[in-house]
Amino acid sequence: MDDSSPLLVIVDAANVVGSVPDGWWRDRRGAAERLRDRLAERGLPGHDGETEIVLVVEGAARGVASVPGVRVEDAPGSGDDHMVTLVARSPDRPRLVITADRELRHRVTELGAEVRGPRTLRD
């Protein structure tokens, strides 16, 4: 693995947004946009190095635009499957997936990614 490469941070938007009962279910796309904006402003808390942040959205949250600092990708099907594909495509760089989904955690750690829960992105 090339540790000089920027850390690839893949964020499970549905899982992170759904971890706080703040009414996100009334506007899933708006909730994903707020998460995107928070990531663009703050980056990955506690990480000083260079990062590439990818926010994976699915379902009603699809169509959220990318902004400088955060690339947003619409999952063509399952968001989990898309995140596994992103991890698998970058075997030679450090990868971090932000999710609490147990099955997804298992799938991406088998591919060598690190995993942290949604609290990682909270203040």
Side-chain angles (χ1 to χ4, degrees):
M1 184 177 313
D2 180 6
D3 290 332
S4 65
S5 295
L7 175 65
L8 175 60
V9 181
I10 301 168
V11 180
D12 182 348
N15 192 268
V16 172
V17 165
S19 70
V20 179
D22 62 359
W24 58 265
W25 51 89
R26 290 188 290 270
D27 181 10
R28 293 170 194 261
R29 186 171 174 179
E33 288 171 337
R34 289 188 295 279
L35 174 58
R36 176 207 58 200
D37 294 347
R38 195 166 68 238
L39 289 166
E41 180 181 320
R42 300 178 189 158
L44 178 65
H47 183 77
D48 294 329
E50 191 177 349
T51 61
E52 175 186 353
I53 299 175
V54 179
L55 182 65
V56 176
V57 296
E58 61 187 324
R62 283 188 181 103
V64 171
S66 295
V67 296
V70 179
R71 185 174 82 235
V72 181
E73 291 202 13
D74 291 344
S78 158
D80 291 4
D81 290 346
H82 190 64
M83 287 179 272
V84 170
T85 297
L86 292 174
V87 167
R89 282 185 191 156
S90 301
D92 296 329
R93 65 187 289 196
R95 297 148 299 164
L96 171 65
V97 177
I98 308 293
T99 188
D101 182 291
R102 285 186 186 153
E103 182 181 340
L104 177 58
R105 292 171 75 96
H106 177 73
R107 291 173 68 191
V108 297
T109 56
E110 283 188 330
L111 295 170
E114 182 183 344
V115 179
R116 293 191 199 155
R119 289 184 197 168
T120 301
L121 301 179
R122 293 198 200 126
D123 293 333

